[in-house]
Amino acid sequence: SAARRSEPPGEKIGPVYSCWRRSRQELEEMSEAAKRLGRVLDGHEEVPDGGEGGGDAAMAQSEAAPPGFCVECKEKVARTRCVQCADDYCRVCFQMQHRKGSRAKHTTTKVSASISRGGAAQSSSEMMDVDEDAPLASFAPEAGSAPGNWFVERAKYIPVRLTMAERKELRLCEAVLSVSDYTSKIDTVGKSKAKRTQAQLQEICAVLTALITASDYNDGRDVVESRQYKDHESRIQDILEIGRRHKIMNPEKMRGEYGKLIYMLQDSVTPEVQHILDMRIVKPITTVHSYLAARGAAAVLEDSLITTATREIIADGVKSRQQLNRESREKHRAIEHLGDKYASRRITDEEVKLCLYSMGDNHSFLTANRDPVDKMIVYLTRLFDPDQIEPGYDLSISGGEDGARLSHSHEKQYYYVLQS
């Protein structure tokens, strides 16, 4: 009877036996992948050498500019066609590519039509050679008006503010990245592709081991012995996603650590590393839309009160103190009302408020950082002409004069400032 108990379920209970056999096969495959990863990390097995990155170079060369866009930067709408090169350029790239030599003598013609981001052809006179996105904080629906689909689309790109528990994970992520030498050890000259892949695996696993060990010492000890990183895949993804989300909301933070993080994440998804690591450490950013949709509360983004709950209270010198106080109270009441209205078993009122505060943070950031830039672009394009110099409004600079380090003509300086 003891022998019978050690045997797998018989064929007469097929579904149970199939499930048992499938789970055992998955465990064996995971164990084999972990063993192979351990051999690679210890240097007992070499990574197959696929050459010196020839595939990456071929892929980069095969990427062509979208129709109607600049052949050089592939981001701005083409405005000028070089007759000799037979290529279309935006004005800035054409100036940079034809500054000197024989190219400076090339002749050009204007591109009659361009392709907008939506795919419809438009004449060049209908499109400005500037960022086509409107200042979103300024163009948000007015408080009290119907939001339509504006907040639904905008919320797909707004990260959720970190909670107190997530801030604890953020400190862990920053601490591990601050002591990592990932870029210093990977970006060295003379390594073959196989050696580089092995170094990438070693450094990635070192970071993952540190994250797991700092979270739970027993789990870290088990990972060091078994190399079963896949058991902690979800937790690792959450910690690294928190670091990326924090950087998006605070561009001035994590200046050194973020570079290491992004390079590590990029290397981790390459086929060579994925084949041996056998897990993904990258997950999508948690946005307001995905957060609410996962909890069945996406309807809050279409509520008429959301324009009041997320609006920016700006002391512009025109509004009186009483008006500012009234708007602040209206915003607070709208947030409380939406939190109570959409709270359910799947989402609490505090989580609804968290999403509303996140959208308010985004509006404040755009108002303080993007709107001034858009205002200066409007001043530049309306008050200056790149092809004509008005008396007293010459934008040209000369190196060594008035602190200038470059020498630009009026036209070149105009496009240099516009692009910057």
Side-chain angles (χ1 to χ4, degrees):
S1 61
R4 284 197 300 270
R5 285 196 299 268
S6 63
E7 293 177 355
E11 293 292 345
K12 58 184 178 180
I13 47 176
V16 176
Y17 176 71
S18 299
C19 182
W20 178 88
R21 182 173 57 185
R22 191 185 311 114
S23 61
R24 181 167 183 174
Q25 289 175 349
E26 291 174 354
L27 289 174
E28 291 176 352
E29 291 174 359
M30 288 176 59
S31 178
E32 183 58 34
K35 290 178 181 178
R36 185 185 182 191
L37 177 60
R39 292 194 298 268
V40 172
L41 296 179
D42 296 335
H44 301 315
E45 180 177 334
E46 293 186 357
V47 180
D49 195 342
E52 288 293 333
D56 296 338
M59 183 180 298
Q61 293 176 359
S62 64
E63 292 181 354
F69 284 79
C70 174
V71 70
E72 184 66 24
C73 67
K74 302 179 180 65
E75 295 178 354
K76 298 180 73 66
V77 177
R79 302 297 185 189
T80 304
R81 176 168 299 160
C82 179
V83 177
Q84 285 74 20
C85 298
D87 287 325
D88 296 340
Y89 297 89
C90 65
R91 293 191 181 102
V92 176
C93 288
F94 179 81
Q95 292 286 345
M96 296 299 294
Q97 295 297 320
H98 294 76
R99 287 180 298 173
K100 54 186 178 180
S102 60
R103 285 194 173 192
K105 302 177 182 179
H106 286 188
T107 57
T108 63
T109 59
K110 288 187 177 181
V111 178
S112 58
S114 300
I115 304 299
S116 68
R117 293 183 182 180
Q122 297 180 349
S123 64
S124 58
S125 61
E126 294 175 342
M127 300 181 64
M128 294 177 61
D129 199 10
V130 296
D131 190 356
E132 298 171 17
D133 292 332
L136 295 173
S138 301
F139 282 15
E142 293 290 337
S145 62
N149 204 41
W150 193 91
F151 283 96
V152 175
E153 294 300 321
R154 189 71 191 95
K156 296 178 181 178
Y157 305 96
I158 299 178
V160 176
R161 181 193 286 188
L162 299 185
T163 63
M164 293 303 297
E166 289 175 331
R167 292 187 181 278
K168 181 179 178 181
E169 304 287 7
L170 173 65
R171 290 195 294 271
L172 170 60
C173 180
E174 288 182 310
V176 171
L177 292 173
S178 65
V179 299
S180 172
D181 294 325
Y182 186 84
T183 51
S184 302
K185 294 184 178 180
I186 300 301
D187 299 334
T188 55
V189 181
K191 283 187 177 181
S192 65
K193 192 169 185 179
K195 292 293 185 182
R196 185 182 298 275
T197 302
Q198 184 179 21
Q200 290 171 346
L201 284 165
Q202 290 174 338
E203 293 303 315
I204 290 173
C205 290
V207 171
L208 303 187
T209 302
L211 291 174
I212 297 171
T213 305
S215 300
D216 189 296
Y217 175 77
N218 292 328
D219 289 343
R221 181 183 58 190
D222 295 340
V223 163
V224 171
E225 295 175 354
S226 65
R227 310 289 189 180
Q228 292 280 10
Y229 292 98
K230 195 172 181 63
D231 294 342
H232 308 277
E233 182 176 18
S234 178
R235 180 169 178 77
I236 292 171
Q237 288 178 351
D238 291 340
I239 295 175
L240 299 181
E241 184 272 336
I242 289 172
R244 292 160 55 212
R245 183 156 32 113
H246 175 70
K247 177 64 175 178
I248 293 174
M249 295 183 290
N250 303 273
E252 75 281 1
K253 305 287 187 178
M254 296 178 64
R255 292 189 178 274
E257 294 84 352
Y258 187 70
K260 301 176 189 177
L261 173 61
I262 291 301
Y263 281 123
M264 183 184 72
L265 295 180
Q266 288 176 339
D267 293 340
S268 72
V269 298
T270 58
E272 298 83 5
V273 173
Q274 274 291 299
H275 181 64
I276 299 176
L277 188 60
D278 194 34
M279 63 173 287
R280 296 187 65 85
I281 61 177
V282 184
K283 65 176 290 189
I285 293 292
T286 303
T287 64
V288 172
H289 184 275
S290 64
Y291 188 91
L292 292 172
R295 292 160 176 78
V300 69
L301 298 173
E302 300 178 2
D303 196 290
S304 59
L305 280 178
I306 194 172
T307 54
T308 303
T310 60
R311 70 179 174 183
E312 176 75 0
I313 309 298
I314 303 176
D316 52 7
V318 178
K319 299 178 181 178
S320 63
R321 172 55 58 184
Q322 292 78 6
Q323 185 177 0
L324 292 174
N325 290 338
R326 184 175 66 254
E327 290 181 357
S328 180
R329 290 193 296 270
E330 290 174 353
K331 179 177 180 178
H332 178 72
R333 286 197 297 267
I335 292 174
E336 293 292 334
H337 177 78
L338 291 176
D340 295 337
K341 179 179 179 180
Y342 291 95
S344 64
R345 294 182 179 179
R346 300 176 59 185
I347 186 171
T348 65
D349 60 336
E350 292 299 325
E351 290 174 331
V352 175
K353 294 177 185 178
L354 179 68
C355 293
L356 297 175
Y357 289 137
S358 300
M359 300 191 74
D361 293 343
N362 182 259
H363 290 174
S364 300
F365 181 83
L366 292 178
T367 300
N369 294 274
R370 178 173 175 170
D371 284 7
V373 176
D374 284 310
K375 185 180 295 185
M376 293 304 298
I377 289 177
V378 171
Y379 288 154
L380 178 66
T381 54
R382 287 182 180 177
L383 302 179
F384 293 89
D385 187 345
D387 302 321
Q388 183 178 357
I389 304 176
E390 298 182 18
Y393 295 95
D394 187 0
L395 296 178
S396 61
I397 58 175
S398 180
E401 296 182 6
D402 299 326
R405 304 297 297 271
L406 302 172
S407 296
H408 285 173
S409 64
H410 173 84
E411 181 185 15
K412 183 179 292 186
Q413 179 66 5
Y414 176 92
Y415 290 116
Y416 179 82
V417 173
L418 183 60
Q419 186 185 42
S420 300

